[in-house]
Amino acid sequence: MDEMTAPELNQFLEAIAELIEAKAKTVSEAAEIVRQKKIQA
């Protein structure tokens, strides 16, 4: 099964949010963090 469960998705999104809070200083940096973490479908 290749699909994420709701708890897994929530954990993944929280990890990205924490990265953004810790590292991004601008909107562009935040967007780049999200783009780097995209799962290839």
Side-chain angles (χ1 to χ4, degrees), residues 1-15 39:
M1 185 160 137
D2 291 338
E3 296 181 17
M4 294 177 95
T5 64
E8 289 171 333
L9 177 59
N10 285 339
Q11 186 176 14
F12 182 68
L13 292 173
E14 182 59 31
I39 296 173

Side-chain angles (χ1 to χ4, degrees), residues 4-33:
M4 294 177 95
T5 64
E8 289 171 333
L9 177 59
N10 285 339
Q11 186 176 14
F12 182 68
L13 292 173
E14 182 59 31
I16 292 173
E18 289 174 8
L19 274 173
I20 290 169
E21 288 174 335
K23 295 185 177 189
K25 306 231 183 320
T26 67
V27 172
S28 295
E29 288 177 358
E32 185 57 31
I33 289 169

